[in-house]
Amino acid sequence: MMEQFLDTYIERMRLSYPGFPPSTAHEIASAFLAFKFGIYANAVRECTHALSLIPDSAPDAALKKALSIVRANAQDRDNSQVTADLAVAFSPEERKFTAINLTQDKIEDPGTYELDNAIILVYVVALITSADDEEALEEHRRLIVRLLTDYKKALGLE
């Protein structure tokens, strides 16, 4: 069920993120992979570099926010702080580009909720736009499905 949810989200995001130059798309993929592998100093660097390459538009504002959330959390983890950083969060306008949209009363841990949405968005945009990284990213699909599964009940999909 959550596989289908992810596929539907990927197709929806294809319209908003038709493509980036290969180097930009690779930076986005590298940011996701560095964070996923716990190489937080690299994740901070990759996010910062990707942020400088992405143009300004409504969908790109959401992607930039996602990269900023991942970067803030990577910085914290690199400094041995493990609580999710709430200083950076999606705006109501940017929420239409996130995979998981819950009402406030259904959000158990706001920091984790923001980070999960950020990770999923960065992953999906990288998957859509970076052909060079597609194989490496596909290997992490189960992680994304697991993240989504954590919200299955809150989304009313059980």
Side-chain angles (χ1 to χ4, degrees):
M1 169 182 273
M2 298 319 279
E3 285 275 348
Q4 183 58 51
F5 184 91
L6 178 57
D7 288 338
T8 302
Y9 177 63
I10 291 169
E11 289 313 308
R12 198 180 71 183
M13 289 301 104
R14 266 186 215 286
L15 303 172
S16 299
Y17 299 100
F20 289 111
S23 59
T24 303
H26 178 68
E27 284 297 321
I28 296 165
S30 296
F32 168 81
L33 292 167
F35 189 86
K36 163 70 178 78
F37 286 120
I39 311 168
Y40 299 120
N42 286 14
V44 170
R45 191 177 61 249
E46 301 288 355
C47 286
T48 301
H49 193 220
L51 283 162
S52 72
L53 299 171
I54 298 168
D56 291 321
S57 72
D60 290 339
L63 176 59
K64 284 181 164 188
K65 184 63 65 72
L67 286 162
S68 296
I69 292 168
V70 170
R71 179 175 65 183
N73 280 275
Q75 283 170 327
D76 286 351
R77 290 174 186 198
D78 199 40
N79 294 320
S80 301
Q81 293 174 303
V82 288
T83 28
D85 192 326
L86 275 174
V88 188
F90 290 102
S91 72
E93 301 78 47
E94 294 161 348
R95 286 240 173 259
K96 63 182 161 212
F97 299 100
T98 60
I100 308 157
N101 289 298
L102 302 175
T103 54
Q104 284 303 119
D105 62 313
K106 293 207 171 167
I107 300 170
E108 289 178 25
D109 178 353
T112 301
Y113 172 70
E114 293 294 332
L115 179 59
D116 289 349
N117 262 321
I119 289 169
I120 294 166
L121 180 57
V122 171
Y123 171 82
V124 166
V125 172
L127 187 67
I128 292 168
T129 62
S130 187
D132 293 345
D133 297 290
E134 192 173 354
E135 200 173 306
L137 291 165
E138 270 302 327
E139 292 174 18
H140 300 285
R141 181 180 174 95
R142 277 200 331 270
L143 164 82
I144 302 302
V145 170
R146 266 201 319 272
L147 281 179
L148 290 168
T149 302
D150 290 344
Y151 294 92
K152 193 171 167 182
K153 188 173 187 173
L155 288 163
L157 299 172
E158 281 192 326

